Amino acid sequence: MDINRFTQKSQEAIVAAREGAEASNHQYAEPLHLLTALLGQSGGLVLPLVSGSGANPARLRAATEEALATMPNVYGDTEVAFSPALIAILEAADKERENLGDDYVSTEHLLLALLEGGDDTARILAESGITRSSMTETLTGLRG
């Protein structure tokens, strides 16, 4: 996985996920941190995708933050690393990029990968009404 294949917004979300984990005293940056970072971005595609898919971004963010609050805290001089689950999401996003014939991994690729993650993040997205088909349809409309 080449970080240079990620758009500026995607790179910002990845950095923000790590910073969010550190600020919350979590040992690892997890997919939930990435979703929170994506939902916090302004001027990107994630909020229009979420809204266009029928979900309420504020409720989705609240559900994500609630799940993050249940994660164990770690104190001391430790460096936050990416969890294996987050690394798998980043790799899956790169595969999404490839499958869609895009040159760079953008935030919508990250969101698509989070949908397929099979963890709390994917469950929260699904419970919010976001599906791959609703996202694809909304994305087509936005790009259209």
Side-chain angles (χ1 to χ4, degrees), residues 17-34:
R18 187 176 177 281
E19 290 172 349
E22 187 173 6
S24 298
N25 296 310
H26 296 150
Q27 184 173 4
Y28 295 105
E30 298 283 355
L32 280 168
H33 294 104
L34 180 59

Side-chain angles (χ1 to χ4, degrees), residues 41-60:
Q41 284 187 332
S42 60
L45 277 176
V46 171
L47 291 178
L49 278 173
V50 167
S51 296
S53 295
N56 180 317
R59 283 193 196 134
L60 178 57

Side-chain angles (χ1 to χ4, degrees), residues 5-134:
R5 283 199 179 258
F6 286 69
T7 64
Q8 182 71 31
K9 284 285 192 189
S10 292
Q11 289 182 28
E12 288 171 5
I14 293 166
V15 169
R18 187 176 177 281
E19 290 172 349
E22 187 173 6
S24 298
N25 296 310
H26 296 150
Q27 184 173 4
Y28 295 105
E30 298 283 355
L32 280 168
H33 294 104
L34 180 59
L35 179 57
T36 300
L38 289 168
L39 292 170
Q41 284 187 332
S42 60
L45 277 176
V46 171
L47 291 178
L49 278 173
V50 167
S51 296
S53 295
N56 180 317
R59 283 193 196 134
L60 178 57
R61 186 171 177 103
T64 303
E65 289 175 356
E66 185 178 304
L68 282 171
T70 66
M71 293 177 65
N73 294 331
V74 177
Y75 298 96
D77 192 21
T78 60
E79 186 170 328
V80 173
F82 292 150
S83 71
L86 182 55
I87 292 169
I89 292 296
L90 298 177
E91 290 171 349
D94 192 40
K95 285 187 184 4
E96 291 286 350
R97 172 204 59 81
E98 189 177 307
N99 291 341
L100 293 170
D102 294 328
D103 293 328
Y104 295 95
V105 177
S106 61
T107 55
E108 64 264 24
H109 299 122
L110 292 172
L111 194 54
L112 283 167
L114 287 168
L115 274 171
E116 305 295 327
D119 63 354
D120 282 345
T121 309
R123 179 188 53 78
I124 290 169
L125 287 166
E127 288 175 356
S128 296
I130 300 173
T131 64
R132 185 177 189 88
S133 61
S134 69

